[in-house]
Amino acid sequence: QAQLVESGGGLVPPGGSLRLSCAASGFPFDNYAIAWFRQAPGKEREFVAGISQSGGGSDYADSVKGRFTISRDNSKNTVYLQMNSLKPEDTAVYYCAARFAYSRITSRNGIDYWGKGTLVTVSS
């Protein structure tokens, strides 16, 4: 059925860049808002960035504004998270999430589908 599969995580030095991908299948991708969340060791899962079903609007956590960019390619059923100027505090497992769209995702409320996550480690 519905699946979200993240990829692109890995080890990157501080100041480096990484692009995460989230490939969706099994549901009408174009009708869903998509978001990225992350969970650091010992912490709760937190919102990172969200994008509207059409890609026309986006939201970012204050901690990543100006550094991260969310985008989507509906022809490929894929969402991306471009992460620049990475900091050690960005280290976390990153998850993508989907919710049938009447508005953009800004919290964990009402999420329909979750991916399994991809690990990003920012370290020298």
Side-chain angles (χ1 to χ4, degrees), residues 2-6 22-25 27 29 34 96-98 113-116:
Q3 286 190 69
L4 296 169
V5 181
E6 303 94 336
C22 175
S25 61
F27 66 95
F29 182 76
I34 309 294
C96 59
Y113 310 117
W114 286 98
K116 299 298 183 182

Side-chain angles (χ1 to χ4, degrees), residues 11-40:
L11 177 64
V12 62
S17 296
L18 214 54
R19 189 178 78 155
L20 306 183
S21 298
C22 175
S25 61
F27 66 95
F29 182 76
D30 294 2
N31 293 338
Y32 283 72
I34 309 294
W36 289 94
F37 293 78
R38 67 187 182 188
Q39 189 164 17

Side-chain angles (χ1 to χ4, degrees), residues 68-99:
F68 290 11
T69 302
I70 187 170
S71 62
R72 67 190 292 165
D73 185 343
N74 286 354
S75 72
K76 297 181 178 179
N77 287 0
T78 301
V79 174
Y80 305 97
L81 185 67
Q82 178 66 47
M83 304 185 294
N84 299 326
S85 302
L86 283 161
K87 305 174 180 179
E89 51 263 45
D90 294 318
T91 295
V93 176
Y94 284 71
Y95 301 87
C96 59
R99 188 184 72 198

